[in-house]
Amino acid sequence: MTSTADTLNAELAQQTELFNKLRIENSDPVALEGSRKRLGEIKRGLAALKPGGKDAKKRERLLLKTPKGTRDYGPGEMFCRDYVERIVKECFVLYGGAQLDTPVFERKDILAGKYGEDAKLIFDLEDQGGEQLALRYDHTVPLARYLAMSGATNTQSKLWQVGKVYRRDNPVMSKGRMREFSQADFDISGQWDTMIPDAELLSLLCTILTRLEVGEFTIKINHRKILDGVFEVCGVAPEKIRPVSSAVDKLDKLPWSDVKKEMTEEKGLDPATADKIGEYVKHKGGRQLLDQLLADATLTTNTKAKRGLDEMGVLFTFLDAYKIADKVSFDMSLARGLDYYTGLIYEAIVEASAPPGFKAAENPGPAPPTPAAAPKKKSKKGSPDEDEEIDESQVGVGSIAAGGRYDELVGLFTTAASGDGKKGASLPCVGVSIGLDRIFALLWPKWVDRGMRSKEVFAYVLSAGDGLLPERMGLVQELRAQGIAADFLAKNKPKLNAQFAAGERDEVPYAIILGGDELKAGLVTVKEQRWEFVDGKKTKVESADKGTHVPRTELVQWLKATATFRDWSSGRLIRQ
């Protein structure tokens, strides 16, 4: 055992030295991640060799916590999340979508090479029966794989999918930025006339965010062809266009001075070239910006840029038709770092999207704006297998939805699958992805402040006097059959106060009381329960009202005629 421990200790020293060297030299992220994993394996091997002493039991204690970057949601939170997801799905159906479901993990070679610098965030899985697998990073690549497996013949389809995706990122839990999170995607595939499906998706996004009442929002739009044209006329080498684009995409959370530094010092771009780019990416606006760029003789000589500008002109006409032009900002700093985008790109932001105190520079030219406070990281020296922690107070929510056109991704799969070097069938696509966890992070405080419900139960059936258990069961079943969520206390002969207390805990608005005399007369007693805010807390309203006698045969109709029932789908408990 001593020999094994000595071997592992020697390897630990060598691997630690290698890891530190790779980190200092900003080496390939894949190599750095591999070194980090090996360090963890060695440390676990050494820990397993240690003999159990007096602290053995302490070391064996089960640590009750969720994995880093994940969390549980209680019933009240899930009621809010379900409300958000229900509205999103209703809008997806409203716009003609059909539902799709794909596996939560994919073959690793399906995901490889699609995410640019973010590839290091993919969660790898252990070898499973000869297949190298990874958890899905988004819904877009699995959708493209699905379309390619269908022969890329699924023309003019609208498909949507809601589910969890995974990214090995540094989480900011309070802002809905996690390692396991839910996304809702809507994608349109097939040959359509220019910009029609793109405008349709922007309309869909506006409809969803308006119905969810996220507050004031803006959809930033840009075009990859315009951006690539800008880089080309500014003198960026083709092999540096994607890395430079990734740097530009950080202008929503970093000042120009930091972005320029990344371009020049990390990406190797000439400072003069970076300044030229800065003169373009500072612009944002609407049709006026489009006209300004069309008047730029240098830019319009570039074929890519000219085509992108022409398509943006068509898009603005459609935005007027959808009456959403006021929600859209043509923002030249928007780049979207993923490699598969080929045309229009967009993302939705709210006031909380940017880091606190940070305002995007209006003029990111050669003179740098005042830097915003950077996120404070708690260093964990000597622990290369641990991620650095982030000061959540210095981080924004980020975009709450994003997407764009990816015309070549399906063809990339069909070509690779052919194996003979011939170009496979292609299928143009455009899609939008909505971050449900980020929207929940925005809505949950408002949900609490507005006194929203935590359950669907609308009626609670009680008995006065003898337990009347069969009668309570029969009425509950009758109400449920008519679409009214109902419940009762699962006791044979419960006390009336205990039944009222159970209904109040579930915040049920109507108590239906059964009594022997009333049942003989064909009646039930209905008592409305109300809540109000007292010193900012949700409090039950005490009332001397004994309730209303309602004929048993008319009970369902009576309940459905109430204002509370008509407004029930809104989630409100306290009516303003």
Side-chain angles (χ1 to χ4, degrees), residues 275-448:
D275 286 337
K276 290 179 183 178
I277 293 171
E279 286 302 312
Y280 278 105
V281 299
K282 70 182 181 183
H283 294 300
K284 60 184 67 176
R287 276 189 178 274
Q288 300 86 352
L289 175 56
L290 178 62
D291 294 338
Q292 178 183 334
L293 294 174
L294 284 168
D296 185 332
T298 302
L299 184 60
T300 52
T301 55
N302 182 278
T303 305
K304 291 180 182 176
K306 182 62 168 64
R307 181 179 174 186
L309 291 168
D310 289 342
E311 290 185 358
M312 290 292 268
V314 175
L315 177 66
F316 273 110
T317 299
F318 296 156
L319 297 181
D320 288 335
Y322 280 111
K323 297 181 173 55
I324 58 171
D326 62 319
K327 295 293 186 181
V328 173
S329 171
F330 184 6
D331 191 327
M332 289 290 289
S333 70
L334 179 64
R336 303 290 299 147
L338 301 180
D339 282 358
Y340 49 66
Y341 288 125
T342 58
L344 182 72
I345 50 177
Y346 37 84
E347 66 180 31
I349 60 170
V350 293
E351 184 179 357
S353 293
F358 177 79
K359 298 294 182 183
E362 293 295 326
N363 183 12
T370 303
K376 298 176 182 178
K377 295 186 178 181
K378 300 175 184 178
S379 176
K380 293 193 174 182
K381 294 182 180 179
S383 300
D385 54 334
E386 294 291 337
D387 294 306
E388 293 180 315
E389 294 183 3
I390 295 177
D391 182 355
E392 298 193 7
S393 67
Q394 296 299 315
V395 180
V397 172
S399 62
I400 57 176
R405 176 163 287 280
Y406 52 103
D407 286 346
E408 299 171 2
L409 188 55
V410 176
L412 191 67
F413 283 131
T414 57
T415 298
S418 68
D420 56 10
K422 294 181 181 179
K423 189 173 182 179
S426 184
L427 190 66
C429 299
V430 61
V432 64
S433 179
I434 299 165
L436 299 180
D437 291 274
R438 295 188 181 187
I439 288 177
F440 171 77
L442 292 172
L443 293 186
W444 176 244
K446 300 178 183 178
W447 188 273
V448 174

Side-chain angles (χ1 to χ4, degrees), residues 64-73 77 81 123 135 164-174 176-182 392 437:
L64 288 174
K65 66 182 290 291
T66 61
K68 182 175 181 178
T70 67
R71 57 158 297 185
D72 298 319
Y73 292 95
E77 292 171 310
R81 288 174 64 85
F123 265 108
L135 295 176
K164 291 188 175 182
V165 297
Y166 301 84
R167 297 179 189 177
R168 196 189 178 285
D169 205 352
N170 279 335
V172 186
M173 305 298 288
S174 63
R177 299 170 66 171
M178 298 182 287
R179 290 183 167 184
E180 177 192 63
F181 53 98
S182 296
E392 298 193 7
D437 291 274

Side-chain angles (χ1 to χ4, degrees), residues 219-268:
I219 301 178
K220 300 195 296 185
I221 63 172
N222 200 0
H223 201 295
R224 264 287 170 81
K225 288 185 173 61
I226 298 175
L227 202 57
D228 288 353
V230 165
F231 293 150
E232 288 179 5
V233 300
C234 289
V236 179
E239 68 274 10
K240 291 186 177 180
I241 284 181
R242 283 294 161 262
V244 170
S245 178
S246 178
V248 169
D249 196 46
K250 298 174 183 175
L251 278 170
D252 62 339
K253 50 185 173 289
L254 294 176
W256 168 251
S257 56
D258 287 354
V259 172
K260 179 182 176 181
K261 183 178 180 180
E262 179 178 333
M263 285 182 179
T264 55
E265 296 184 11
E266 296 182 26
K267 314 294 185 186

Side-chain angles (χ1 to χ4, degrees), residues 15 18-20 22-23 29-44 68 120 168 170 179 380 383-388:
Q15 196 62 232
L18 173 62
F19 176 84
N20 290 331
L22 291 172
R23 182 170 56 179
V30 176
L32 188 64
E33 181 62 21
S35 178
R36 183 199 297 272
K37 287 183 176 179
R38 182 57 189 151
L39 273 172
E41 292 170 358
I42 297 170
K43 289 181 178 181
R44 287 191 291 273
K68 182 175 181 178
K120 62 182 181 292
R168 196 189 178 285
N170 279 335
R179 290 183 167 184
K380 293 193 174 182
S383 300
D385 54 334
E386 294 291 337
D387 294 306
E388 293 180 315

Side-chain angles (χ1 to χ4, degrees), residues 148-204:
M149 286 177 63
S150 303
T153 58
N154 197 350
T155 59
Q156 296 193 339
S157 68
K158 293 181 175 181
L159 296 172
W160 60 268
Q161 182 171 195
V162 176
K164 291 188 175 182
V165 297
Y166 301 84
R167 297 179 189 177
R168 196 189 178 285
D169 205 352
N170 279 335
V172 186
M173 305 298 288
S174 63
K175 306 299 172 68
R177 299 170 66 171
M178 298 182 287
R179 290 183 167 184
E180 177 192 63
F181 53 98
S182 296
Q183 284 191 334
D185 282 36
F186 191 103
D187 295 79
I188 303 177
S189 65
Q191 297 288 345
W192 303 72
D193 288 342
T194 302
M195 287 293 170
I196 294 177
D198 309 65
E200 176 86 340
L201 286 177
L202 293 176
S203 171
L204 167 65

